[in-house]
Amino acid sequence: MRGDGDGWVFSEDGGHFWGVYGAAGLLLRAPLADGTPAVLLQHRAPWSHQGGTWGLPGGARDSHETVEEAAVREAHEEAGLAADMMTVRTTVVTATASGGEWTYTTVIADAAEMLATVPNRESSELRWVAVDEVAALPLHPGFAASWDALRAVLQGDQQH
């Protein structure tokens, strides 16, 4: 079902950003067998915007949703993840445009184990990737630009 947030926002400099009310993605963390952290990444389908790159399950936020609700809904739609299998920890605004009126928010959540996934047509693949190996992949430009800051949040959260 198409939500009321689907659509492009155009900035004065000609950039375009998906999500009339902004967008959100889920950075889901779970332990590998040896206890080191891994995150769930989506290999974007070739036909999609920035296809062939790795990023997060996510998409447009609808007018009635919080960023957490949008990210969890998108993760369910794109990866088959159930909301009750994860715990949302924090949110980080990782991109802004149109004078701050458009934002992309990364919602960081934890799962007790690497959950099974079911990719939809927007994904070529879904994969649990060790945190130390993420930067070696061809990342979506927006995710690549925010990865160092997100990794620092993940590492800081582990120390508590």
Side-chain angles (χ1 to χ4, degrees):
M1 180 177 143
R2 203 175 142 91
D4 71 346
D6 286 356
W8 293 100
V9 170
F10 297 92
S11 64
E12 290 182 12
D13 67 2
H16 57 284
F17 306 90
W18 184 248
V20 174
Y21 304 102
L26 185 74
L27 181 57
L28 185 60
R29 176 178 55 183
L32 292 168
D34 66 2
T36 60
V39 292
L40 181 65
L41 297 183
Q42 175 191 50
H43 194 204
R44 298 171 63 82
W47 60 264
S48 68
H49 183 62
Q50 300 291 343
T53 61
W54 289 88
L56 303 177
R61 193 177 107 187
D62 290 335
S63 62
H64 63 278
E65 291 180 308
T66 65
V67 291
E68 294 90 348
E69 289 168 340
V72 169
R73 175 185 51 76
E74 287 283 344
H76 176 71
E77 291 173 5
E78 295 180 6
L81 297 173
D84 64 350
M85 299 297 290
M86 64 186 85
T87 302
V88 171
R89 297 291 181 201
T90 192
T91 63
V92 181
V93 175
T94 49
T96 60
S98 293
E101 291 185 24
W102 181 92
T103 59
Y104 184 95
T105 303
T106 301
V107 175
I108 298 173
D110 288 329
E113 61 187 14
M114 292 184 296
L115 303 174
T117 60
V118 180
N120 75 355
R121 65 183 191 86
E122 296 180 39
S123 307
S124 292
E125 177 185 1
L126 294 162
R127 182 189 305 171
W128 289 95
V129 179
V131 167
D132 291 341
E133 298 172 10
V134 170
L137 294 171
L139 300 178
H140 178 284
F143 183 53
S146 63
W147 174 241
D148 287 343
L150 291 169
R151 184 174 180 172
V153 172
L154 290 173
Q155 291 173 327
D157 191 42
Q158 281 185 307
Q159 295 170 2
H160 294 106

